[in-house]
């Protein structure tokens, strides 16, 4: 199993950025144990509906906030109060920001150290995202917008859980520039056009080719990572659709991943038929991703690509990816160096200007 240090990306083991950590409808008031970035955490939904993610262990004597079913704090339904959580061991209560706000039995003032780490969380498109930053800073970019989620002409996705995999996330991100895998893995016709744009924390792939399963006509895809772990892809196949693929480190060299697909309904007057079509289309998209997945699950890590003409810009992609493993100051220097456009196949055209605007790759 390859670790971050083996790739020499930078001083941090886990990258800075927004990461998917849960499916919204699966987060309820009952606190659940989760593990990401080599840390045990707890996720719950407060009474206001707010999702809270805090360190799993109580600063008093280390009890796990979620892994309890027999304490009277749990049996009496006193664990979540407002958006705060009460420890099952001695009943200390913590705010969603992680500050202790009540020690039920002690007259002494609440010690300053009585707090747990709490992470910034946002929900978007039925998914819960968490900001992770080794320096502890606030988010320095936004989650990628998803206006179609609230547009009735689009059928909302049901997120696919792809489970855990022993791999480093870069082995998946490499896919962004991997022009040469489309024909052997996915059955695409020879690429007509293949371009990558690097712009700060975003990398784009603009691709045109035929595809065996997802379109009868030529398939145009416009795919981009916002940060190191959230991929979106717009496809103009038989039905316009938007893929979301997300992956989050659990431990160094192990990830969890999800897949989802929004589809524009062919017939907004007939929503039920639209849902059946969307589910079927999402399943085709998932199976297409599974073609990559089978490779990733069994491949040896790539520390140095044996690159030939016709391969995409793997070196540039990895330099871009490094920015998430170094302090912010250095990240800005990396961005300045890698920002730009690389066309691996075809000649410059006018691709999808409105989508370029959306990911802000053009000033
Ligand atoms: S260990 Fe949590 S209150 Fe004592
Ligand atoms: Fe692929």
């Amino acid at each position: 199993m390859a670790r971050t240090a083996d790739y020499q990306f930078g001083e941090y083991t886990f990258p800075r950025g927004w990461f998917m950590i849960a499916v919204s409808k699966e987060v309820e008031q009952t606190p659940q144990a989760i593990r990401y970035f080599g840390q045990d955490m707890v996720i719950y939904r407060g009474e206001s509906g707010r999702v809270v993610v805090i360190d799993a262990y109580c600063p008093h004597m280390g009890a796990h906030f979620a892994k309890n079913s027999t304490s009277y704090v749990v049996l009496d339904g006193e664990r979540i109060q407002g958006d705060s959580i009460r420890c099952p061991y001695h009943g200390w209560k913590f705010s969603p920001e992680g500050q202790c706000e009540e020690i039920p039995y002690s007259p002494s003032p609440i010690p300053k150290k009585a707090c747990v780490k709490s992470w910034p969380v946002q929900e978007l498109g039925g998914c819960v995202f968490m900001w992770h930053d080794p320096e502890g800073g606030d988010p320095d970019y936004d989650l990628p917008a998803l206006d179609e989620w609230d547009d009735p002409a689009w059928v909302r996705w049901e997120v696919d859980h792809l489970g855990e995999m022993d791999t480093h996330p870069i082995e998946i991100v490499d896919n962004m520039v991997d022009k040469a895998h489309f024909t052997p893995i996915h059955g695409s016709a020879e690429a007509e056009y293949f371009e990558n744009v690097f712009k700060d924390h975003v990398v784009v792939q603009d691709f045109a080719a035929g595809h065996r399963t997802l379109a009868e006509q030529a398939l145009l895809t416009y795919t981009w990572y916002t940060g190191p772990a959230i991929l979106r892809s717009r496809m103009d196949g038989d039905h316009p659709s938007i893929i979301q693929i997300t992956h989050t480190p659990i431990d160094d060299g192990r990830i969890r991943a999800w897949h989802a697909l929004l589809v524009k309904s062919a017939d907004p007057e007939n929503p039920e038929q639209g849902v059946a079509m969307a589910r079927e289309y999402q399943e085709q998209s998932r199976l297409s991703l599974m073609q990559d997945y089978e490779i990733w699950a069994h491949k040896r890590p790539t520390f140095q690509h044996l690159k030939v003409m016709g391969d995409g810009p793997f070196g540039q992609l990895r330099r871009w990816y490094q920015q998430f493993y170094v302090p912010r100051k250095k990240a800005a220097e990396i961005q300045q160096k890698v920002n730009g456009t690389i066309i691996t196949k075809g000649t410059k055209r006018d691709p999808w200007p409105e989508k370029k605007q959306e990911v802000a790759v053009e000033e």
Side-chain angles (χ1 to χ4, degrees):
M1 183 166 73
R3 298 175 191 280
T4 296
D6 300 325
Y7 295 88
Q8 301 185 324
F9 285 143
E11 39 269 81
Y12 303 134
T13 303
F14 298 108
R16 171 179 50 252
W18 283 106
F19 295 86
M20 181 165 170
I21 53 166
V23 175
S24 284
K25 66 179 182 188
E26 295 169 9
V27 179
E28 297 170 343
Q29 273 199 20
T30 305
Q32 296 171 44
I34 54 173
R35 182 176 173 85
Y36 293 107
F37 309 105
Q39 297 176 76
D40 291 318
M41 298 175 276
V42 163
I43 187 169
Y44 65 92
R45 195 177 287 280
E47 286 175 1
S48 75
R50 171 179 175 182
V51 176
V52 178
V53 175
I54 56 166
D55 191 8
Y57 301 106
C58 180
H60 179 217
M61 285 171 58
H64 195 292
F65 286 117
K67 292 188 176 179
N68 188 284
S69 58
T70 55
S71 158
Y72 271 96
V73 170
V74 177
L75 296 174
D76 292 343
E78 289 175 347
R79 193 148 50 161
I80 302 301
Q81 293 175 331
D83 289 344
S84 300
I85 185 167
R86 198 178 282 284
C87 178
Y89 203 178
H90 311 95
W92 293 24
K93 193 172 83 164
F94 296 85
S95 75
E97 289 75 35
Q99 203 60 47
C100 180
E101 50 188 20
E102 187 196 336
I103 299 175
Y105 54 87
S106 174
S108 63
I110 294 171
K112 274 218 175 65
K113 281 189 176 163
C115 57
V116 286
K117 187 163 171 46
S118 164
W119 283 270
V121 173
Q122 276 184 27
E123 288 183 272
L124 180 71
C127 304
V128 181
F129 295 90
M130 175 188 129
W131 176 257
H132 175 262
D133 182 356
E135 292 171 283
D138 291 331
D140 56 6
Y141 64 86
D142 294 331
L143 286 170
L146 190 62
D147 297 341
E148 291 81 356
W149 185 252
D150 294 313
D151 179 346
W154 289 73
V155 182
R156 289 185 171 186
W157 56 44
E158 288 284 330
V159 175
D160 294 314
H161 288 269
L162 304 182
E164 302 183 11
M165 195 198 291
D166 281 324
T167 188
H168 192 282
I170 186 56
E171 301 286 339
I172 294 175
V173 178
D174 269 350
N175 210 34
M176 276 304 282
V177 297
D178 194 354
K179 170 187 149 287
H181 89 293
F182 281 102
T183 300
I185 286 288
H186 300 300
S188 303
E190 176 61 17
E192 291 161 20
Y193 188 76
F194 192 90
E195 173 196 270
N196 291 110
V197 180
F198 299 87
K199 174 70 182 172
D200 300 338
H201 63 281
V202 174
V203 59
V204 177
Q205 175 202 88
D206 198 344
F207 176 63
H211 192 285
R212 277 190 202 172
T213 55
L214 282 176
E216 279 160 17
Q217 308 288 310
L219 184 70
L220 299 176
T221 63
Y222 188 85
T223 306
W224 69 103
Y225 265 88
T226 304
I230 303 172
L231 174 146
R232 292 264 181 79
S233 183
R234 289 182 174 272
M235 290 194 300
D236 267 4
D238 297 341
H239 310 283
S241 60
I242 303 171
I243 302 181
Q244 178 176 277
I245 301 169
T246 46
H247 47 80
T248 304
I250 300 169
D251 286 295
D252 193 7
R254 187 166 178 80
I255 60 148
R256 174 170 290 119
W258 299 264
H259 163 265
L261 186 79
L262 278 190
V263 185
K264 192 164 189 182
S265 181
D267 182 4
E269 300 301 306
N270 192 347
E272 229 155 85
Q273 210 179 348
V275 170
M277 179 275 291
R279 297 290 172 262
E280 195 189 314
Y281 213 53
Q282 173 161 336
E283 181 58 8
Q284 285 182 38
S285 167
R286 189 189 68 83
L287 291 173
S288 172
L289 176 59
M290 286 302 108
Q291 294 173 316
D292 296 292
Y293 233 68
E294 188 178 14
I295 298 285
W296 296 330
H298 302 290
K299 79 185 288 299
R300 196 173 62 182
T302 307
F303 299 120
Q304 188 79 50
H305 299 85
L306 179 58
K307 208 185 149 196
V308 295
M309 196 188 277
D311 278 335
F314 288 105
Q316 190 77 342
L317 179 82
R318 290 210 169 179
R319 280 189 287 280
W320 170 85
Y321 185 73
Q322 267 189 302
Q323 67 178 288
F324 306 108
Y325 291 82
V326 298
R328 287 183 190 212
K329 207 167 158 274
K330 266 199 214 168
E333 288 164 22
I334 292 174
Q335 289 175 351
Q336 277 184 358
K337 275 188 201 144
V338 302
N339 280 352
T341 299
I342 297 177
I343 298 172
T344 304
K345 179 76 191 274
T347 46
K348 184 72 185 154
R349 53 175 191 165
D350 243 355
W352 300 34
E354 77 281 10
K355 277 134 205 163
K356 291 214 155 192
Q357 205 175 3
E358 175 186 336
V359 296
V361 296
E362 271 169 359
E363 246 63 276

